[in-house]
Amino acid sequence: MFRNAMLSGFSSVRNVKNLFFPSLANIKQGRVSAVCIRSMSKHSSETEEEFDARYEAYFNRSDIDGWDVRKAMNDLQGMDLVPEPKIISAALKACRRVNDYALAVRFLEAVKDKCGNRVKEIYPYIIQEVRPILDELGVNTPEEMGYDKPELYLESVYDIH
Amino acid sequence: MKEYFLPIDSSKMRIRNLFTVDMENEEELQLSESEIDSIIELFCDTVLKDNFSQVSLIYFWLSCRDISSMAGHLLKVATKHLPSRYVASRIFIPSVAYHKERIGNREVVGFGLNGEPSYIDRTDFPMPAIRFKENSQEIITLREKEKDDWRKLTMDEKKALYRASFCQTFAEMKAPTGEWKSVLAGTLVAMSLTIWIYVWMKKFVYQPMPESFSPERKAAQFQRMIDLRINPIEGLTSNYDYENNRWKD
């Protein structure tokens, strides 16, 4: 999914690595198909490019509505990958088409969350790639809105006695 | 009685007798070719027919609620000539009404976690089914502004739009609660309480130790071990120099 410049592809090690470090697998080994994380149970042999193209085409539908945008975003959130910048750009444009600003910011926050413990490497790259779309649409990143730190406090339901 | 239960006129018969309606009437309704095809397909759907005959009318039409399915399409076509409000008021839908009552004026925007119109903040499911805040007048005016260029929105308006749709930001969801401090404190308090209980037990419950535990008696016992050559090879008295009657260096 998110292909890094360094490809350490030991195919025999790949399966073991996928089991123990699934989130690293997709970043380090660019060849792992995003849809089937474990190669032993192959549900589909879709390549990463096909996956990217599929989601980009989905978001680029001109008649998309908020329901479908949210469905695709939630699906992406459930997958073990960080979406490619082109998918993110298409999603932001879809948010513009459905006139939902909050959705765009929420999606950026969700992408940042997907970066896991390598946020400092991945997230700045994504923002840099997506910056033209952000400027064109007028979407602020969560950091610019001040939402990278907590703003309000909400008591957890587990603490209410 | 007659005032409450209006007589059913024939145009609504379709709701009650779905599978026996005449196909000749289709021309009146101006259905397209594909719609007629789909109706014919649905009439052949024996599962749907069984459902229709077994469950009560309400639950049959409820199961057709999902508009994207073929059954939902049938619902749309069958009630085409009825205004949708009329249909909704005639068909009392229990679970949807309950949910709509609970969420009030909030807009349903997605499928959500499980199909119910509920709101929840989860990092692994960022877009819930409903907006967080009810549609008040300010929010409606903001939505109109949202349709325009987003660069014209001020930061406060952008924040207001976010908070209208969502309760907590990701940062707030993931913020540490500091619960570990109270957990650690509770654990240490429990441990110290245990030690106090032991002190009390020693003072008031346990009997005095036997005299053989006094230092003089223990020294005598130790000397006895030396005399008996306990563990002379690798252990205790291997470190004792018997020629000079002292411990080896």
Side-chain angles (χ1 to χ4, degrees):
Chain A
M1 214 28 265
F2 178 91
R3 271 182 267 129
N4 215 328
M6 19 177 243
L7 295 169
S8 58
F10 290 89
S11 57
S12 59
V13 181
R14 185 207 303 169
N15 292 342
V16 176
K17 267 196 173 171
N18 278 346
L19 286 171
F20 287 105
F21 304 106
S23 55
L24 289 181
N26 273 318
I27 296 169
K28 274 204 175 133
Q29 295 134 31
R31 306 210 186 284
V32 176
S33 163
V35 176
C36 61
I37 303 299
R38 295 161 200 256
S39 4
M40 39 226 188
S41 64
K42 247 182 179 358
H43 291 291
S44 72
S45 52
E46 192 181 45
T47 66
E48 293 188 19
E49 292 84 9
E50 286 168 8
F51 178 88
D52 294 347
R54 184 160 62 89
Y55 265 89
E56 215 187 325
Y58 185 93
F59 280 120
N60 279 339
R61 271 171 44 206
S62 54
D63 61 342
I64 199 168
D65 72 340
W67 189 284
D68 286 332
V69 173
R70 282 173 167 79
K71 176 185 161 47
M73 287 178 177
N74 282 327
D75 287 349
L76 279 172
Q77 195 73 1
M79 296 179 195
D80 186 14
L81 47 86
V82 182
E84 282 277 331
K86 44 182 182 336
I87 299 182
I88 300 174
S89 310
L92 292 173
K93 284 190 232 161
C95 292
R96 173 67 265 191
R97 255 175 275 127
V98 300
N99 297 321
D100 204 333
Y101 176 81
L103 193 61
V105 181
R106 185 74 156 184
F107 184 57
L108 287 172
E109 281 187 290
V111 164
K112 183 175 182 185
D113 185 54
K114 287 305 287 183
C115 297
N117 58 354
R118 293 175 67 158
V119 194
K120 295 204 180 67
E121 300 168 30
I122 305 176
Y123 187 64
Y125 167 76
I126 289 182
I127 293 296
Q128 170 201 321
E129 293 290 310
V130 161
R131 184 48 69 182
I133 302 290
L134 292 180
D135 294 334
E136 179 195 328
L137 298 176
V139 174
N140 290 108
T141 65
E143 289 73 34
E144 289 163 13
M145 290 183 70
Y147 282 158
D148 56 332
K149 299 273 180 304
E151 186 189 43
L152 303 174
Y153 172 70
L154 185 69
E155 198 178 7
S156 161
V157 289
Y158 302 112
D159 296 333
I160 301 171
H161 298 290
Chain B
M1 237 359 180
K2 284 214 182 103
E3 296 154 16
Y4 294 107
F5 294 102
L6 297 170
I8 304 172
D9 56 318
S10 58
S11 58
K12 281 85 180 173
M13 285 309 279
R14 185 182 295 275
I15 298 174
R16 306 190 103 238
N17 304 324
L18 185 61
F19 291 101
T20 57
V21 75
D22 300 326
M23 289 305 290
E24 283 85 42
N25 291 334
E26 301 318 308
E27 286 80 36
E28 294 171 3
L29 302 171
Q30 294 142 8
L31 291 168
S32 68
E33 281 287 328
S34 63
E35 282 176 331
I36 294 177
D37 286 340
S38 61
I39 285 194
I40 294 172
E41 231 182 278
L42 279 159
F43 281 15
C44 300
D45 185 354
T46 49
V47 171
L48 207 60
K49 269 190 178 164
D50 290 339
N51 210 18
F52 186 75
S53 54
Q54 279 165 12
V55 304
S56 65
L57 268 181
I58 296 176
Y59 290 106
F60 172 74
W61 285 112
L62 278 178
S63 65
C64 298
R65 244 190 313 153
D66 177 17
I67 295 298
S68 59
S69 76
M70 288 303 282
H73 191 81
L74 178 64
L75 173 63
K76 267 205 308 194
V77 170
T79 56
K80 203 169 171 171
H81 52 291
L82 301 172
S84 59
R85 267 181 299 119
Y86 190 85
V87 171
S89 61
R90 278 296 197 218
I91 302 174
F92 175 66
I93 304 174
S95 68
V96 172
Y98 171 71
H99 281 296
K100 287 283 193 265
E101 189 186 290
R102 293 189 90 192
I103 67 175
N105 203 6
R106 291 175 174 82
E107 196 187 335
V108 176
V109 282
F111 184 76
L113 206 57
N114 56 1
E116 303 288 327
S118 60
Y119 182 89
I120 188 161
D121 278 318
R122 286 180 65 125
T123 55
D124 57 351
F125 206 87
M127 319 299 178
I130 56 176
R131 298 206 191 270
F132 178 59
K133 291 198 178 148
E134 301 198 14
N135 274 342
S136 69
Q137 202 46 49
E138 300 101 48
I139 293 179
I140 293 176
T141 46
L142 265 181
R143 296 242 174 269
E144 289 303 313
K145 239 188 142 183
E146 207 181 4
K147 292 182 183 163
D148 204 2
D149 194 355
W150 288 344
R151 282 173 284 198
K152 295 192 196 149
L153 295 168
T154 67
M155 186 50 75
D156 282 334
E157 285 169 343
K158 288 176 176 175
K159 286 188 168 187
L161 276 171
Y162 187 94
R163 293 287 178 187
S165 290
F166 302 108
C167 178
Q168 287 186 298
T169 67
F170 267 68
E172 287 158 11
M173 273 189 248
K174 295 163 74 170
T177 56
E179 198 189 355
W180 70 274
K181 297 177 208 164
S182 48
V183 167
L184 186 64
T187 310
L188 292 172
V189 163
M191 280 159 63
S192 54
L193 201 65
T194 309
I195 296 173
W196 276 115
I197 290 172
Y198 177 74
V199 168
W200 181 85
M201 292 284 280
K202 193 83 174 92
K203 199 158 180 353
F204 295 110
V205 175
Y206 294 146
Q207 292 174 350
M209 296 282 251
E211 278 138 24
S212 53
F213 278 77
S214 71
E216 302 81 23
R217 297 280 284 269
K218 277 162 73 168
Q221 284 161 41
F222 191 61
Q223 184 57 46
R224 183 166 182 268
M225 282 172 88
I226 293 170
D227 296 339
L228 284 173
R229 310 288 198 269
I230 297 292
N231 292 336
I233 302 159
E234 300 249 325
L236 180 69
T237 49
S238 65
N239 297 320
Y240 194 79
D241 187 358
Y242 283 99
E243 267 104 68
N244 302 325
N245 259 354
R246 58 185 174 87
W247 289 97
K248 291 181 190 169
D249 296 321

